[in-house]
mmCIF file of all heavy atoms in Angstrom:
data_model
loop_
_atom_site.group_PDB
_atom_site.id
_atom_site.type_symbol
_atom_site.label_atom_id
_atom_site.label_comp_id
_atom_site.label_asym_id
_atom_site.label_seq_id
_atom_site.Cartn_x
_atom_site.Cartn_y
_atom_site.Cartn_z
ATOM 1 N N ALA A 19 48.342 113.141 257.395
ATOM 2 C CA ALA A 19 47.824 112.193 256.410
ATOM 3 C C ALA A 19 46.515 112.683 255.815
ATOM 4 O O ALA A 19 46.280 112.577 254.604
ATOM 5 C CB ALA A 19 47.629 110.819 257.050
ATOM 6 N N LEU A 40 34.551 107.046 248.834
ATOM 7 C CA LEU A 40 33.670 105.973 248.363
ATOM 8 C C LEU A 40 32.264 106.518 248.178
ATOM 9 O O LEU A 40 31.903 107.580 248.691
ATOM 10 C CB LEU A 40 33.665 104.777 249.320
ATOM 11 C CG LEU A 40 33.169 104.953 250.759
ATOM 12 C CD1 LEU A 40 31.643 104.907 250.857
ATOM 13 C CD2 LEU A 40 33.755 103.872 251.648
ATOM 14 N N VAL A 49 31.170 101.859 245.400
ATOM 15 C CA VAL A 49 32.332 102.110 244.546
ATOM 16 C C VAL A 49 33.333 102.930 245.341
ATOM 17 O O VAL A 49 32.972 103.928 245.977
ATOM 18 C CB VAL A 49 31.931 102.846 243.258
ATOM 19 C CG1 VAL A 49 33.176 103.314 242.501
ATOM 20 C CG2 VAL A 49 31.092 101.939 242.365
ATOM 21 N N PRO A 53 42.285 101.244 247.584
ATOM 22 C CA PRO A 53 42.988 101.461 248.854
ATOM 23 C C PRO A 53 44.435 100.999 248.771
ATOM 24 O O PRO A 53 44.829 100.314 247.826
ATOM 25 C CB PRO A 53 42.198 100.616 249.839
ATOM 26 C CG PRO A 53 41.635 99.509 249.005
ATOM 27 C CD PRO A 53 41.364 100.096 247.652
ATOM 28 N N ARG A 60 49.516 104.985 251.298
ATOM 29 C CA ARG A 60 48.391 105.026 252.213
ATOM 30 C C ARG A 60 48.230 106.394 252.865
ATOM 31 O O ARG A 60 47.178 106.685 253.461
ATOM 32 C CB ARG A 60 48.493 103.943 253.286
ATOM 33 C CG ARG A 60 49.667 104.047 254.217
ATOM 34 C CD ARG A 60 49.576 103.013 255.345
ATOM 35 N NE ARG A 60 48.589 103.407 256.346
ATOM 36 C CZ ARG A 60 47.577 102.663 256.736
ATOM 37 N NH1 ARG A 60 47.379 101.474 256.195
ATOM 38 N NH2 ARG A 60 46.726 103.086 257.643
ATOM 39 N N CYS A 157 27.575 99.955 236.298
ATOM 40 C CA CYS A 157 26.469 100.205 235.370
ATOM 41 C C CYS A 157 26.057 98.920 234.655
ATOM 42 O O CYS A 157 24.868 98.670 234.433
ATOM 43 C CB CYS A 157 26.871 101.274 234.359
ATOM 44 S SG CYS A 157 27.074 102.923 235.076
ATOM 45 N N VAL A 209 24.428 85.606 225.780
ATOM 46 C CA VAL A 209 25.337 84.702 225.080
ATOM 47 C C VAL A 209 26.380 85.539 224.356
ATOM 48 O O VAL A 209 26.055 86.534 223.701
ATOM 49 C CB VAL A 209 24.586 83.815 224.068
ATOM 50 C CG1 VAL A 209 25.570 82.916 223.311
ATOM 51 C CG2 VAL A 209 23.539 82.978 224.774
ATOM 52 N N PHE A 249 52.170 99.363 211.430
ATOM 53 C CA PHE A 249 52.243 99.462 209.973
ATOM 54 C C PHE A 249 53.505 100.180 209.518
ATOM 55 O O PHE A 249 53.881 101.221 210.056
ATOM 56 C CB PHE A 249 51.009 100.171 209.428
ATOM 57 C CG PHE A 249 49.773 99.316 209.456
ATOM 58 C CD1 PHE A 249 48.888 99.391 210.526
ATOM 59 C CD2 PHE A 249 49.511 98.429 208.432
ATOM 60 C CE1 PHE A 249 47.753 98.598 210.565
ATOM 61 C CE2 PHE A 249 48.380 97.626 208.457
ATOM 62 C CZ PHE A 249 47.493 97.715 209.527
ATOM 63 N N THR A 260 42.461 113.379 193.362
ATOM 64 C CA THR A 260 41.259 113.289 192.541
ATOM 65 C C THR A 260 40.316 112.236 193.073
ATOM 66 O O THR A 260 39.115 112.442 193.205
ATOM 67 C CB THR A 260 41.639 112.949 191.089
ATOM 68 O OG1 THR A 260 42.522 113.944 190.596
ATOM 69 C CG2 THR A 260 40.388 112.863 190.222
ATOM 70 N N ARG A 328 47.415 98.278 204.366
ATOM 71 C CA ARG A 328 47.219 96.871 204.044
ATOM 72 C C ARG A 328 48.430 96.091 204.552
ATOM 73 O O ARG A 328 49.539 96.263 204.046
ATOM 74 C CB ARG A 328 47.049 96.681 202.543
ATOM 75 C CG ARG A 328 46.847 95.230 202.135
ATOM 76 C CD ARG A 328 46.614 95.117 200.638
ATOM 77 N NE ARG A 328 45.371 95.781 200.259
ATOM 78 C CZ ARG A 328 45.043 96.052 198.993
ATOM 79 N NH1 ARG A 328 45.878 95.760 198.018
ATOM 80 N NH2 ARG A 328 43.896 96.625 198.725
ATOM 81 N N ASN A 383 32.323 88.864 208.910
ATOM 82 C CA ASN A 383 33.223 89.968 208.610
ATOM 83 C C ASN A 383 32.457 91.278 208.699
ATOM 84 O O ASN A 383 31.232 91.286 208.816
ATOM 85 C CB ASN A 383 33.840 89.812 207.209
ATOM 86 C CG ASN A 383 32.788 89.499 206.166
ATOM 87 O OD1 ASN A 383 31.936 90.327 205.875
ATOM 88 N ND2 ASN A 383 32.819 88.276 205.631
ATOM 89 N N ASP A 394 39.086 107.617 221.785
ATOM 90 C CA ASP A 394 39.562 107.795 223.159
ATOM 91 C C ASP A 394 40.808 108.671 223.174
ATOM 92 O O ASP A 394 41.659 108.576 222.285
ATOM 93 C CB ASP A 394 39.918 106.444 223.779
ATOM 94 C CG ASP A 394 38.732 105.496 223.861
ATOM 95 O OD1 ASP A 394 37.634 105.882 223.431
ATOM 96 O OD2 ASP A 394 38.914 104.367 224.350
ATOM 97 N N VAL A 412 37.807 100.210 209.772
ATOM 98 C CA VAL A 412 38.581 98.988 210.008
ATOM 99 C C VAL A 412 37.857 97.819 209.343
ATOM 100 O O VAL A 412 36.685 97.551 209.658
ATOM 101 C CB VAL A 412 38.744 98.713 211.514
ATOM 102 C CG1 VAL A 412 39.649 97.505 211.733
ATOM 103 C CG2 VAL A 412 39.281 99.939 212.240
ATOM 104 N N GLU A 419 35.398 81.705 209.892
ATOM 105 C CA GLU A 419 34.916 81.655 208.517
ATOM 106 C C GLU A 419 35.768 80.709 207.683
ATOM 107 O O GLU A 419 35.294 80.079 206.745
ATOM 108 C CB GLU A 419 34.930 83.067 207.919
ATOM 109 C CG GLU A 419 34.399 83.133 206.499
ATOM 110 C CD GLU A 419 34.589 84.522 205.903
ATOM 111 O OE1 GLU A 419 35.509 85.222 206.329
ATOM 112 O OE2 GLU A 419 33.821 84.881 205.009
ATOM 113 N N PRO A 506 24.712 105.592 251.491
ATOM 114 C CA PRO A 506 23.774 104.575 250.991
ATOM 115 C C PRO A 506 22.388 105.113 250.686
ATOM 116 O O PRO A 506 21.662 104.548 249.888
ATOM 117 C CB PRO A 506 23.735 103.545 252.116
ATOM 118 C CG PRO A 506 24.178 104.280 253.333
ATOM 119 C CD PRO A 506 25.164 105.293 252.853
ATOM 120 N N ALA A 522 44.706 109.053 261.022
ATOM 121 C CA ALA A 522 46.028 108.885 261.615
ATOM 122 C C ALA A 522 46.973 108.214 260.674
ATOM 123 O O ALA A 522 46.562 107.444 259.835
ATOM 124 C CB ALA A 522 45.891 108.070 262.893
#
Side-chain angles (χ1 to χ4, degrees):
L40 62 81
V49 170
R60 63 173 284 125
C157 292
V209 178
F249 286 95
T260 302
R328 180 177 296 167
N383 48 67
D394 299 0
V412 185
E419 182 187 27

